Amino acid sequence: MKTRQTASPAKCFWPFVASFITPFDRGDIKDLIQSMDDAIDMMHKTVKTIRLLRAEDLRSGHEGNGRHRRPGRAPDRRGHSAARSHRRQPRPRLIAIAEEVTRIEGRSDELHDQGLKDLFRRYGANNAMAYIIGSEIYGELEKVVDRFEDVANEISGIVIENV
């Protein structure tokens, strides 16, 4: 399973390499693939944590967190299609996507802080374990969004250097 997941980021970069007139620096490609792999690994770690701690039923503020995190997945798909169509000026689109991911990450920080406050109000006085579990999950979700921001930063760096 790990091999199939790790191969996915690498496969998606062959169109990038084949489509750009100016080839990427090999180090940039490696760094981008690594950041994508880190994002995927963090998502899987978060799911494992939720399953391990049997916290599928955490609510109260978590729903809003999910709504703001889901768009973080879309820029990867849009970024890939923007790179394939390099003749249609991908730079502004890729930069805009990276800026959107950064805005999502900023909002995610706010939701993380608010979520911890809500968890403390709800569980702090009478159920410390529920607070600890919820806090751990919020922390992992925050790390997932941070990893997507890392991917966006790598893409921005490549765009600035090569397009």
Side-chain angles (χ1 to χ4, degrees), residues 46-94:
T46 302
V47 170
K48 287 168 82 173
T49 300
I50 291 169
R51 287 181 180 157
L52 176 70
L53 300 176
R54 297 176 187 224
E56 293 92 353
D57 196 34
L58 278 178
R59 290 203 172 82
S60 178
H62 289 267
E63 296 84 2
N65 224 357
R67 278 195 303 275
H68 289 281
R69 292 179 192 282
R70 282 187 211 119
R73 294 187 69 203
D76 289 339
R77 288 189 300 258
R78 288 183 292 173
H80 177 70
S81 66
R84 278 188 291 141
S85 61
H86 64 63
R87 291 184 182 94
R88 290 182 268 166
Q89 300 297 323
R91 184 177 183 174
R93 288 181 59 208
L94 289 172

Side-chain angles (χ1 to χ4, degrees), residues 69 104-105 108 141-149:
R69 292 179 192 282
I104 291 168
E105 198 282 329
S108 173
L141 289 169
E142 177 59 28
K143 288 176 188 175
V144 169
V145 178
D146 288 343
R147 296 306 180 274
F148 274 109
E149 184 181 34

Side-chain angles (χ1 to χ4, degrees), residues 9-153:
K11 284 181 185 177
C12 79
F13 279 94
W14 290 116
F16 279 92
V17 173
S19 66
F20 275 101
I21 295 169
T22 305
F24 291 157
D25 178 76
R26 290 176 195 248
D28 290 339
I29 294 170
K30 181 185 134 309
D31 292 345
L32 183 54
I33 290 170
Q34 182 64 50
S35 67
M36 292 176 71
D37 185 58
D38 291 347
I40 291 168
D41 289 348
M42 195 65 224
M43 287 188 295
H44 287 285
K45 182 178 186 246
T46 302
V47 170
K48 287 168 82 173
T49 300
I50 291 169
R51 287 181 180 157
L52 176 70
L53 300 176
R54 297 176 187 224
E56 293 92 353
D57 196 34
L58 278 178
R59 290 203 172 82
S60 178
H62 289 267
E63 296 84 2
N65 224 357
R67 278 195 303 275
H68 289 281
R69 292 179 192 282
R70 282 187 211 119
R73 294 187 69 203
D76 289 339
R77 288 189 300 258
R78 288 183 292 173
H80 177 70
S81 66
R84 278 188 291 141
S85 61
H86 64 63
R87 291 184 182 94
R88 290 182 268 166
Q89 300 297 323
R91 184 177 183 174
R93 288 181 59 208
L94 289 172
I95 296 296
I97 292 166
E99 288 172 354
E100 178 184 350
V101 172
T102 301
R103 280 192 299 277
I104 291 168
E105 198 282 329
R107 178 68 177 134
S108 173
D109 289 341
E110 295 169 11
L111 290 169
H112 175 263
D113 295 344
Q114 184 60 48
L116 290 179
K117 288 178 187 176
D118 292 345
L119 281 172
F120 187 76
R121 273 189 232 119
R122 185 173 180 189
Y123 299 115
N126 57 4
N127 192 347
M129 186 56 76
Y131 173 78
I132 292 169
I133 290 170
S135 175
E136 179 69 19
I137 291 169
Y138 265 125
E140 299 230 352
L141 289 169
E142 177 59 28
K143 288 176 188 175
V144 169
V145 178
D146 288 343
R147 296 306 180 274
F148 274 109
E149 184 181 34
D150 294 343
V151 171
N153 290 339

